[in-house]
Amino acid sequence: MSSNGLNSIEKKAAFSLAAVFGLRMLGLFMILPVFAIYGEQLIGYSPIWIGLAIGAYGLTQAMLQIPMGILSDKYGRKPIILIGLFIFLLGSIVAAMSDTIYGVVLGRALQGTGAIASAILALAADLSREEQRPKVMATIGMFIGLSFTIAMIIGPIVAEAFGLSGLFWFIALLTIFAMLLIQFLVPHSVNKAPRGDSVALPAQLKKLIRHPQLSRLNFGVFALHMAMTACFITLPKQFVESGLQLEDHWQLYLPTLIGSFFLMVPFMIFAIKKQKEKQMLSASVLLLTLALFLLWYLPTSFTGLVITVIMFFTAFNYLEATMPSILSRLAPAGVKGSVMGIYSSSQFLGAFSGGVLGGAIASNFGEQSIFLVMAVICCIWLIISLGMSPLKKSKNLSFTINVENEKQAGEVAEQLINMPGVIEATVVFTEAIAYLKVDEKRVNITKIKRLLNQVE
């Protein structure tokens, strides 16, 4: 079978899992453009509770993302994903039936409890060959970005037609559809990818959290989603105040988001071709910071809002699309699952913190101050990002190996690290796996396989 493209199972897995992930994220994102307005109608309304309702899912997601991945390794990917989607469905129903802000917060927290992102990514890894895995993951990432765009457009339309309760019932229907996809369309996994590549390894977490380069990206995704969640506590209201009714907000989001995608593509091409990923990441953080300062400083005219929102989403979409790729290249060999688990938890914790902090700022200092505080936090991120080391082109590989004990595993790892083009080598005796990070231009795969075949 050719390794140049996805085979039929990989294609089916890529698009079906991407659809499931996208539908679930669509359900989480759809309240962002409308809740600041419709939440005022709920019993118990206050800016703090609005922020909690918007960000509550992030706390439970952050807490359970890694444990759910580990459980999927023990009990199977599909059962854990289905359980997670069922909990998400319950949370949607609780929110749909609530006429108080407290019930909606509970429902959103329940939605987050169905933390299936790590289990879906692990299943995607199980169903794809190593050389094709980046394509499968990229497809899932593309659908996540698409779900955000669709949520910004259809959220106001559905809410205007059916109200806030109808919006949550719509999310519940999407969840049922996602469960059917998992049960009947997603291929059954027979083989598992190496554990270190797919799920978090608890023993590695403490060390990786302190990693000087990875921690910069973890703080970055935390700050990015904090800013995004906090800003949506007030942005929809500002659009209404500038003369754009809620049911017409899609007319702003559609061209703004499409325009931001077209603007970020040249930046991505330049960064990859010129190997300037680090510099372009810092430039995007600077653009995000400027957009937030302008949202705070400028009067809320419609033209000013459009310009600053385009700036915001151009930076947001670029960072959201490129940081996972940078993360995977910085990840030490054999712990990619742990690295992604910490990153995802940081992302969701940022969403929760943005909701809480944004609500507190709005209550005590006024909603306009949210933009100033988020701009200052992004300034800190900008300073931190400047300290990143230059990125090297590398590729992660894994090989099955027959080693008898830890001592022999260490000896083999030492031989591997001394081979030309091998940047990192980790041999895990308990998994019988050798993880390598290599320079594709210098490495000789044939020699590596020959060495591993000689191990008895």
Side-chain angles (χ1 to χ4, degrees):
M1 188 176 293
S2 171
S3 63
N4 294 327
L6 299 177
N7 61 37
S8 58
I9 292 178
E10 289 165 339
K11 288 178 182 176
K12 191 175 182 181
F15 287 101
S16 57
L17 287 173
V20 171
F21 211 132
L23 285 170
R24 184 177 163 283
M25 296 309 292
L26 184 64
L28 287 173
F29 289 145
M30 279 178 68
I31 81 159
L32 284 179
V34 302
F35 198 72
I37 297 171
Y38 278 90
E40 294 180 345
Q41 303 169 9
L42 296 169
I43 298 169
Y45 162 80
S46 74
I48 289 179
W49 281 100
I50 288 289
L52 274 171
I54 291 175
Y57 77 92
L59 179 62
T60 45
Q61 283 273 345
M63 291 170 58
L64 295 172
Q65 199 64 242
I66 291 174
M68 289 286 274
I70 295 170
L71 286 173
S72 78
D73 199 52
K74 185 174 182 179
Y75 297 107
R77 312 293 190 212
K78 279 194 174 185
I80 295 299
I81 294 171
L82 285 170
I83 289 171
L85 286 171
F86 181 72
I87 296 171
F88 187 89
L89 174 63
L90 288 180
S92 303
I93 293 171
V94 168
M97 298 179 69
S98 298
D99 55 6
T100 69
I101 190 74
Y102 318 113
V104 174
V105 170
L106 175 61
R108 290 283 284 175
L110 265 176
Q111 283 183 326
T113 303
I116 58 170
S118 56
I120 288 179
L121 294 176
L123 180 55
D126 295 344
L127 291 167
S128 57
R129 294 162 294 166
E130 184 167 357
E131 64 272 18
Q132 299 302 325
R133 204 163 291 151
K135 296 178 185 176
V136 175
M137 298 301 181
T139 303
I140 294 174
M142 179 182 68
F143 271 61
I144 295 172
L146 186 62
S147 70
F148 180 79
T149 302
I150 294 172
M152 294 297 103
I153 295 166
I154 71 171
I157 297 173
V158 174
E160 178 64 23
F162 304 105
L164 188 62
S165 177
L167 181 66
F168 281 113
W169 283 117
F170 182 73
I171 291 168
L173 286 174
L174 292 179
T175 309
I176 293 171
F177 185 55
M179 293 173 75
L180 293 173
L181 285 177
I182 286 290
Q183 185 65 31
F184 298 110
L185 192 60
V186 175
H188 177 68
S189 172
V190 177
N191 300 311
K192 282 192 176 183
R195 289 188 71 235
D197 277 351
S198 58
V199 297
L201 305 174
Q204 300 283 346
L205 297 179
K206 189 175 180 181
K207 177 182 176 183
L208 291 171
I209 288 171
R210 297 198 302 262
H211 191 287
Q213 299 304 315
L214 297 175
S215 61
R216 285 176 163 84
L217 289 171
N218 292 331
F219 178 81
V221 77
F222 174 88
L224 181 66
H225 282 263
M226 174 189 277
M228 190 266 288
T229 306
C231 287
F232 272 98
I233 291 174
T234 183
L235 263 181
K237 294 181 183 178
Q238 297 202 0
F239 294 148
V240 172
E241 289 170 6
S242 69
L244 190 68
Q245 295 305 306
L246 180 62
E247 63 269 24
D248 297 325
H249 282 194
W250 69 271
Q251 297 175 15
L252 172 65
Y253 289 124
L254 181 59
T256 297
L257 289 164
I258 292 175
S260 68
F261 275 116
F262 277 108
L263 286 171
M264 81 170 187
V265 168
F267 295 148
M268 294 182 71
I269 294 171
F270 174 80
I272 293 168
K273 283 192 173 182
K274 302 295 183 180
Q275 296 186 32
K276 299 287 186 182
E277 289 100 328
K278 175 195 168 184
Q279 291 87 339
M280 289 307 301
L281 183 142
S282 296
S284 297
V285 178
L286 177 60
L287 180 63
L288 183 72
T289 306
L290 288 173
L292 289 166
F293 270 124
L294 289 172
L295 282 167
W296 166 70
Y297 182 74
L298 292 178
T300 55
S301 68
F302 182 72
T303 303
L305 280 172
V306 169
I307 293 170
T308 49
V309 168
I310 288 175
M311 290 171 62
F312 180 91
F313 279 118
T314 299
F316 178 87
N317 289 328
Y318 180 87
L319 292 163
E320 187 81 342
T322 57
M323 284 203 296
S325 173
I326 295 172
L327 188 84
S328 66
R329 289 164 61 184
L330 289 173
V335 291
K336 190 175 180 181
S338 300
V339 168
M340 290 304 298
I342 296 168
Y343 180 84
S344 295
S345 296
S346 301
Q347 172 184 329
F348 289 118
L349 191 59
F352 169 72
S353 301
V356 174
L357 183 58
I361 294 167
S363 293
N364 294 288
F365 305 102
E367 293 184 358
Q368 198 68 15
S369 300
I370 293 173
F371 300 122
L372 177 60
V373 175
M374 292 303 119
V376 172
I377 290 171
C378 287
C379 273
I380 297 170
W381 178 17
L382 176 61
I383 294 167
I384 291 172
S385 73
L386 294 172
M388 283 185 64
S389 299
L391 294 171
K392 298 178 181 178
K393 279 197 170 184
S394 63
K395 183 177 182 180
N396 291 313
L397 302 172
S398 60
F399 300 91
T400 302
I401 183 172
N402 182 25
V403 287
E404 296 180 355
N405 50 54
E406 289 285 358
K407 181 182 177 182
Q408 187 184 21
E411 292 171 352
V412 173
E414 186 66 28
Q415 294 178 59
L416 288 167
I417 199 65
N418 290 320
M419 298 187 76
V422 178
I423 301 170
E424 292 178 11
T426 304
V427 178
V428 184
F429 163 62
T430 54
E431 295 182 34
I433 293 286
Y435 296 99
L436 304 180
K437 179 178 282 191
V438 301
D439 181 341
E440 286 187 276
K441 293 183 177 179
R442 297 179 54 229
V443 73
N444 188 321
I445 302 296
T446 304
K447 285 187 177 180
I448 291 174
K449 290 181 176 179
R450 190 180 301 138
L451 170 66
L452 297 177
N453 288 334
Q454 291 172 355
V455 178
E456 295 180 0

